[in-house]
Amino acid sequence: MKKLSARLAESGKKAYVIPRGGSNSVAAWSYIAAWEEMMNQPLFAEITDIVVVSGSGGTGVDLALAN
């Protein structure tokens, strides 16, 4: 991915390399924003569980952090 990003940069393009699982500060802040959006939903107080898929664990960690 780094090599492809470098080749694109040579041609004047900018690529954003997403790390495995999206586990980075961009993902963490995105889940925090998503959590805030969910909190503003009318039925949020009635939610008892949130189910997500997991590969690297980043989604679960980010949602726990957001909570």
Side-chain angles (χ1 to χ4, degrees):
M1 290 173 45
K2 288 181 181 180
K3 288 180 183 179
L4 178 57
S5 176
R7 281 199 343 230
L8 289 169
E10 289 171 1
S11 67
K13 297 179 181 177
K14 185 175 180 181
Y16 178 73
V17 178
I18 300 172
R20 181 177 177 262
S23 301
N24 62 17
S25 62
V26 173
W29 287 110
S30 298
Y31 279 109
I32 290 170
W35 189 267
E36 289 175 350
E37 183 177 330
M38 288 191 301
M39 287 176 49
N40 291 322
Q41 299 300 314
L43 299 176
F44 182 76
E46 297 177 30
I47 295 174
T48 58
D49 298 288
I50 297 175
V51 179
V52 298
V53 298
S54 181
S56 66
T59 298
V61 169
D62 290 344
L63 283 173
L65 174 66
N67 181 23

